[in-house]
Amino acid sequence: MNITGNTILITGGTSGIGLAFAEEFIKEGNKVIITGRRADRLDAIQKRLPEIIIKQSDIADATQRTELAAWITENHPDTNVLINNAGVQYITDFNKTVDFGKVHNEIETNLIAPVHLASLFIPHLKGKQNATIINITSGLAFVPIALMAIYCASKAAMHSLTMSLRYQLRDTGINVFEIAPPSVDTELGHDRRQDKTQTHGGIPVAEFIEDAIAAIKNDEYEAAVSHAAGLRAKGEELFEQMNSRFSH
Ligand SMILES: NC(=O)c1ccc[n+]([C@@H]2O[C@H](COP(=O)([O-])OP(=O)(O)OC[C@H]3O[C@@H](n4cnc5c(N)ncnc54)[C@H](OP(=O)(O)O)[C@@H]3O)[C@@H](O)[C@H]2O)c1
């Protein structure tokens, strides 16, 4: 993908990977629009980066997804890249009472929203130069951490979906990427950590972004970054080893 001169919509740009992508793509000479639920974050980011375009939007809400697509088409018709990045990660322990509200929100945010946004944006993207959809999945798409059962299932589904989307769109001029991050030090899962100063762990966001941008630039349509590549290669072989580190 030519990484200059695009208009890029990034869902979930108020922290972590989405925000780091936004900063990097601005540096590379793109127009960038970010979304998120937290208005205070969006405002603070715009103060720091006046060129960024912000849009408060909850992608777990179907009406807001439709409104977002209409707003983009009207206000930023030059948008040619959609990055489905927003995501949430919860613990789902089937040995306890499962919070079905959380299950629903996790699937809606991580899977249904990207499906809906892709379907809303494909007609708009067709015919655009350098038209691209980038889905952010996870190394956990290839081997689950059992305690994050729904999260991992949503990411495995996103991996499968991305393959199908890429195949279906092969003659449309829309390129479809999957970027599978390894564990990256962001706010993901922050709400469940009792000690809010505790970090997520994982590699620094800057290191991940450098590798992810290189993959996008080199048209690596399926890129498992850093140790996610090991999970991609060995998949379920690693299940016992990975899960012995997590207890419930
Ligand atoms: N960090 C990792 O180790 C890791 C590993 C593999 C994959 N990933 C994936 O990378 C993506 C980004 O995660 P991250 O690590 O950067 O975590 P993060 O720092 O928690 O960022 C998540 C972003 O998603 C947004 N978001 C969540 N729910 C939303 C909703 N309903 N509507 C709109 N925006 C929403 C958040 O914004 P608001 O809260 O303001 O809405 C935030 O900007 C996710 O898809 C995640 O699954 C992360």
Side-chain angles (χ1 to χ4, degrees):
M1 172 182 154
N2 179 352
I3 62 157
T4 304
N6 304 289
T7 298
I8 304 175
L9 170 64
I10 305 175
T11 65
T14 53
S15 59
I17 288 172
L19 179 56
F21 263 132
E23 290 175 332
E24 197 55 36
F25 278 123
I26 286 173
K27 270 193 220 149
E28 294 286 348
N30 300 279
K31 175 174 149 187
V32 175
I33 305 150
I34 58 167
T35 75
R37 295 162 299 180
R38 291 172 289 180
D40 55 336
R41 283 285 183 106
L42 290 167
D43 290 342
I45 291 164
Q46 197 178 42
K47 263 199 193 114
R48 189 167 60 80
L49 297 168
E51 61 273 64
I52 208 164
I53 297 159
I54 56 170
K55 174 73 178 157
Q56 188 183 17
S57 169
D58 180 351
I59 61 149
D61 177 336
T63 307
Q64 292 192 41
R65 293 194 293 262
T66 307
E67 280 167 7
L68 173 65
W71 180 84
I72 288 282
T73 316
E74 190 174 333
N75 296 287
H76 302 287
D78 51 342
T79 300
N80 65 327
V81 179
L82 165 66
I83 306 187
N84 281 312
N85 166 74
V88 288
Q89 183 188 73
Y90 304 130
I91 297 287
T92 309
D93 186 348
F94 287 94
N95 290 299
K96 298 183 181 154
T97 306
V98 170
D99 179 343
F100 198 71
K102 278 195 159 178
V103 169
H104 190 90
N105 178 263
E106 199 167 21
I107 296 175
E108 191 79 31
T109 308
N110 296 359
L111 176 61
I112 298 179
V115 171
H116 192 189
L117 289 176
S119 73
L120 289 166
F121 277 93
I122 285 165
H124 173 81
L125 294 176
K126 277 186 182 162
K128 292 256 188 287
Q129 280 275 330
N130 215 20
T132 304
I133 297 174
I134 301 174
N135 289 335
I136 307 301
T137 64
S138 172
L140 300 180
F142 310 112
V143 52
I145 291 174
L147 264 185
M148 297 166 192
I150 305 302
Y151 176 80
C152 297
S154 72
K155 293 296 182 179
M158 279 299 292
H159 166 67
S160 168
L161 171 87
T162 308
M163 290 181 77
S164 299
L165 198 59
R166 186 181 303 124
Y167 191 81
Q168 285 193 27
L169 298 182
R170 67 193 181 285
D171 297 324
T172 64
I174 304 173
N175 290 315
V176 181
F177 287 79
E178 172 182 2
I179 302 292
S183 182
V184 182
D185 193 7
T186 68
E187 293 178 18
L188 195 70
H190 182 257
D191 47 348
R192 70 166 179 266
R193 286 196 280 280
Q194 273 156 7
D195 174 3
K196 297 297 178 199
T197 59
Q198 189 193 349
T199 70
H200 173 280
I203 66 171
V205 188
E207 186 182 327
F208 164 74
I209 288 296
E210 195 181 329
D211 289 355
I213 295 269
I216 293 167
K217 209 171 171 175
N218 292 332
D219 285 340
E220 275 178 52
Y221 293 111
E222 187 189 301
V225 173
S226 184
H227 57 264
L231 303 184
R232 174 72 178 112
K234 292 203 167 164
E236 289 162 24
E237 263 182 61
L238 296 173
F239 183 78
E240 289 298 336
Q241 185 193 326
M242 270 179 60
N243 280 280
S244 62
R245 295 179 9 229
F246 293 86
S247 58
H248 61 76

